[in-house]
Amino acid sequence: MQDLLGKAAIVTGASRGIGAATAKELAGHGVSVILAARDKAAIASLTKEIRDTGGTADYLACDVSRYDDVAAVVTHCMEAFGRLDILVNNAGVIDPIARLTESDPQEWSKVVDINLKGVYYGLRAALPIMEAQGAGVVINISSGAASSALEGWSHYCATKAGVLSLTRCAHEEMRDKGIRVVGLSPGTVATDMQVAIKDSGLNPVSQLDPKVHIPADWPARAVAWLCTTAADHLSGEDFSLRPEESRRLVGLLSD
Ligand code: NAP
C-alpha cells in the first residue's frame, strides 16, 4: 500500500457504510481524503475522527444528484490538496424498493439522478484533472444487480447496469491516458442498505441471513488495493469481491 502515500482522494457517500469505511481505510494508508455526502454532521465527525488519528481529511456537503455540488467537491480537493488521484463514486440508494407496477415515477427518477447521473457527474468533474495530471484511478461502486434482475429493484438494477456501462465507456476513453476506471462489486455488505432490503421482504436478497453479509471494511480494503499498482491490470470492468480468489488477492483471506 506504499503506492497510496501522499495521494489525494474523494469518497462520495462517505457519511456511513462502505463510504465511511473507505475514507478511513484510505486515510490510514496516508491518502488525503475529502469526504462528501449530504449529512454534513456525519462527515464532519468522521473527518475529525480521521484527523484525531493522524490522518489528513476534509469534508464538503454534497448531493451527487447535483452537478454543481460534485464539481465543488472536486474544486475543494484541488484547493485543499493540490491534486486528485483517486475518486470513489460510492454514493448510492436502493429506497424505495417497489415492484414496477407500484413504483412512483418521481422517486424512481430520483434514484437515476443519484445512482447513475451522480457517477457521471463525478467522472465529468474529475477526469479532466486526472487527464491533465496524466494519472488517476476512479472506482465506481457497482453491484451484482448490474447484471441481474430482481423483483422490486428495477431502479437499482437499471442504474447499476448503467454505472457498469459508464465504467466501460470511461475506460475506453481514458485507457491511453494513464487513468484506470474500474468497478467494485462488493457482494452483500452489512450496512443500512441491507437493513432496508431486509425490511422490504421482496426477492431472495431480503431473505438472506444477515450473518452472510461482509463487514464494510472489506470493500474498503478492496478499494485501497484497487488503487495500487497491484491492480494495474484491472480496468473497464467490475471486480467482484465474491470469489475467494478476489478476497485472497485483496488480502482479506490468508492462504
Ligand atoms: P448506506 O450505508 O445506505 O450508505 C449510502 C451512502 O450514500 C451514505 O453515505 C449516503 O450519505 C450516500 N448518499 C445517498 N444519496 C446521496 C446523495 N444524493 N448525495 C450524496 N451522497 C448520497 O449504503 P452502503 O451499503 O454503504 O452503499 C454504498 C454503495 O455500495 C452504494 O453505491 C450501493 O449501491 C453499493 N452496494 C452496497 C451493497 C450492500 O450490500 N450494502 C452491495 C452492493 C453495492 P447521505 O445520506 O449523508 O447523503
Side-chain angles (χ1 to χ4, degrees):
M1 298 286 178
Q2 284 300 321
D3 310 0
L4 299 180
L5 198 63
K7 298 260 166 84
I10 291 170
V11 181
T12 69
S15 59
R16 58 177 191 271
I18 295 169
T22 299
K24 289 197 254 184
E25 178 72 22
L26 290 174
H29 293 293
V31 178
S32 301
V33 184
I34 300 284
L35 291 87
R38 293 168 303 180
D39 185 340
K40 193 173 173 182
I43 50 177
S45 158
L46 281 159
T47 297
K48 183 177 179 314
E49 196 182 317
I50 290 171
R51 287 178 180 164
D52 287 350
T53 50
T56 304
D58 207 346
Y59 65 93
L60 193 67
C62 161
D63 180 340
V64 297
S65 69
R66 298 179 192 181
Y67 180 68
D68 289 351
D69 280 19
V70 178
V73 172
V74 170
T75 302
H76 189 61
C77 183
M78 293 305 288
E79 284 170 2
F81 308 134
R83 53 190 299 125
L84 172 57
D85 305 290
I86 298 162
L87 168 65
V88 187
N89 276 318
N90 164 77
V93 292
I94 199 161
D95 272 326
I97 293 170
R99 292 169 57 84
L100 275 165
T101 49
E102 287 140 21
S103 60
D104 178 312
Q106 276 186 341
E107 294 297 321
W108 204 100
S109 298
K110 264 192 216 161
V111 175
V112 176
D113 290 345
I114 297 169
N115 289 8
L116 180 59
K117 289 193 199 168
V119 172
Y120 159 70
Y121 291 156
L123 290 165
R124 176 64 187 86
L127 287 177
I129 288 164
M130 292 180 173
E131 203 173 346
Q133 286 175 179
V137 182
V138 180
I139 313 240
N140 294 329
I141 303 300
S142 185
S143 163
S147 49
S148 60
L150 285 150
E151 181 192 8
W153 286 23
S154 62
H155 56 338
Y156 191 73
C157 294
T159 52
K160 289 298 183 183
V163 170
L164 175 54
S165 179
L166 277 176
T167 298
R168 291 178 175 143
C169 291
H171 165 73
E172 204 52 38
E173 294 183 18
M174 294 295 136
R175 62 198 300 171
D176 299 329
K177 300 175 192 293
I179 297 163
R180 278 196 297 121
V181 184
V182 62
L184 171 63
S185 179
T188 63
V189 187
T191 66
D192 289 357
M193 188 173 279
Q194 283 297 337
V195 175
I197 290 167
K198 183 131 220 78
D199 287 349
S200 75
L202 280 184
N203 82 45
V205 185
S206 74
Q207 305 304 315
L208 290 173
D209 182 335
K211 284 190 205 130
V212 304
H213 304 325
I214 60 172
D217 64 297
W218 281 30
R221 287 166 65 186
V223 166
W225 179 80
L226 281 169
C227 294
T228 67
T229 50
D232 264 354
H233 59 294
L234 296 172
S235 189
E237 278 305 328
D238 280 354
F239 173 75
S240 172
L241 202 52
R242 277 185 185 275
E244 272 202 10
E245 191 194 336
S246 300
R247 294 178 178 186
R248 256 178 236 293
L249 268 176
V250 170
L252 297 168
L253 299 179
S254 51
D255 288 327

